[in-house]
Amino acid sequence: MNTLKILITGGAGFIGSHVVRRFVNKYPNYEIYNLDALTYAGNLENLRDVEGAANYHFIKGDIKDIPFINSIFEKHQFDAVIHLAAESHVDRSITEPNAFIETNVLGTANLLNAFRSIWKDHFEGKQFYHISTDEVYGSLGETGLFTEETPYDPQSPYAASKAASDHLVRAYGNTYKLPFKISNCSNNYGPNQFPEKLLPLFIHNIKNQKSLPVYGDGKYTRDWLHVIDHASAIDTIFHSGKNTETYNIGGLNEWTNIDLIQLLCEQMDEKLKSPKGTAAQLITFVKDRAGHDKRYAIDASKIERELGWKPKMTFEEGLSQTIDWYLENTDWLVNVTSGAYQAYYQKMYEGR
Ligand code: NAD
Ligand code: DAU
């Protein structure tokens, strides 16, 4: 088996930590370098179980910092990059768009430039794998699915910043022959997700008997995929995907927000041994998200047809396990929701 030095950016975040864990455990012959700035969303507690592994290395640093990025590429000569570091929450992108442009666009450019510079445009056996989102395609009507050919039509500052980073990666591939792959994935759920995103936020609020702020009429649709299935798709694409190709990843699992929240409330009542209907009483319809995308749904037939990947986790099982994880990992939730989280919550939800 080949030895590779792989830089995984954003490895202390939600999806990144699952990718790091998988690669560290499954590929002992690879040296895994996790580069993360440890923003509010990054948490080394997510990786306690692998931090002592011989093939795991953590580097604290910011992808916006050009001299620092250049220096770590020069020092470690990474054969491959799996790039997940990003500002990832749509609501934050509405209040602070520049943070998204700086990290998601300029940060990606810095990594591409450093990768080019160490390999001096001789890229045999190298790859830059960019992790992106289905939000770059915009919003669907009642029917239809996003395919890899769907034109880009990003609607939020977050989506636009991810679209710009996808374009940069492809442009470097075209101009400098930098070898790349891109995958665009639907909504992930599972353990270790920061409780600003719908599912962990609502689990946390139900547990603490706080209201559940449903944006608008709640009839927005998302396609949910367990994070472990996403990590396995990333592994498949990294090893078997073709150079310069894009792969859409999805769960074939569409839910309107309100139906998903009802299901979550039912499961939470059972798990907390509350009378039926208790959690649902917390549902509160609040002011809609600005520019809220109506529906996302992924056509994941290319990755299944060409690479043999499809999701393994059923939604019922995945949701139940996810709730159990948040109920069991109280310390994790308490730690991430102390301090700055309270100020964020007030700013985002007060007066909605
Ligand atoms: P996250 O917010 O949980 O984690 C992001 C990580 O990146 C954090 O550890 C953070 O500390 C780090 N980071 C942020 N800015 C950085 C910087 N300037 N320098 C270095 N590190 C920095 O995000 P996530 O949900 O795990 O998403 C990871 C990637 O997957 C993102 O690129 C996102 O666009 C993409 N994605 C997410 C989803 C989803 O449903 N969460 C779906 C599809 C694609
Ligand atoms: O589709 C992939 C994307 O999924 C990723 O690229 C993003 O990083 C990730 O955050 C996610 O974006 P969404 O905006 O779809 O996820 P979020 O959990 O923020 O919201 C899911 C849906 O729930 C959305 O329609 C908005 C709604 N919502 C969300 C929150 C936080 C509410 O109704 N109330 C809330 O408090």
Side-chain angles (χ1 to χ4, degrees), residues 282-302:
L282 298 169
I283 293 174
T284 313
F285 291 91
V286 299
K287 187 169 161 225
D288 211 347
R289 173 183 278 176
H292 200 165
D293 285 338
K294 188 72 186 161
R295 176 172 164 258
Y296 307 143
I298 282 275
D299 175 349
S301 58
K302 175 176 171 181

Side-chain angles (χ1 to χ4, degrees), residues 147-213:
T147 73
E148 288 79 1
E149 275 70 50
T150 302
Y152 275 31
D153 187 20
Q155 297 294 318
S156 70
Y158 163 69
S161 70
K162 291 296 290 186
S165 65
D166 293 11
H167 288 319
L168 273 176
V169 173
R170 290 196 184 96
Y172 276 57
N174 179 58
T175 309
Y176 308 113
K177 306 300 166 226
L178 184 143
F180 74 89
K181 293 165 190 170
I182 298 179
S183 55
N184 298 81
C185 188
S186 63
N187 285 61
N188 283 217
Y189 72 99
N192 308 98
Q193 188 170 30
F194 192 79
E196 62 185 354
K197 309 280 167 67
L198 183 73
L199 277 170
L201 177 75
F202 278 31
I203 293 170
H204 181 63
N205 282 11
I206 293 171
K207 215 178 127 211
N208 293 293
Q209 293 162 16
K210 282 178 75 173
S211 73
L212 305 177

Side-chain angles (χ1 to χ4, degrees), residues 211-332:
S211 73
L212 305 177
V214 179
Y215 296 165
D217 61 5
K219 292 192 180 137
Y220 294 86
T221 300
R222 298 291 183 265
D223 169 4
W224 294 91
L225 177 74
H226 196 279
V227 64
I228 288 178
D229 275 324
H230 190 188
S232 95
I234 289 172
D235 184 353
T236 303
I237 293 167
F238 181 82
H239 288 98
S240 312
K242 285 198 205 117
N243 184 29
T244 75
E245 290 285 319
T246 295
Y247 298 91
N248 279 356
I249 307 170
L252 306 167
N253 180 38
E254 285 184 53
W255 287 83
T256 61
N257 293 340
I258 194 64
D259 287 349
L260 175 63
I261 292 159
Q262 291 287 2
L263 175 69
L264 175 73
C265 287
E266 283 164 26
Q267 289 207 7
M268 288 292 289
D269 283 345
E270 274 175 35
K271 289 180 194 284
L272 296 173
K273 305 202 182 334
S274 309
K276 271 190 184 163
T278 307
Q281 282 171 13
L282 298 169
I283 293 174
T284 313
F285 291 91
V286 299
K287 187 169 161 225
D288 211 347
R289 173 183 278 176
H292 200 165
D293 285 338
K294 188 72 186 161
R295 176 172 164 258
Y296 307 143
I298 282 275
D299 175 349
S301 58
K302 175 176 171 181
I303 184 173
E304 182 174 359
R305 192 175 57 249
E306 295 188 7
L307 307 181
W309 177 90
K310 59 179 180 184
K312 286 207 175 103
M313 186 80 86
T314 65
F315 191 55
E316 208 177 36
E317 179 193 0
L319 184 62
S320 170
Q321 282 183 15
T322 299
I323 298 172
D324 289 343
W325 188 88
Y326 288 97
L327 294 180
E328 280 156 23
N329 288 273
T330 345
D331 288 352
W332 185 94

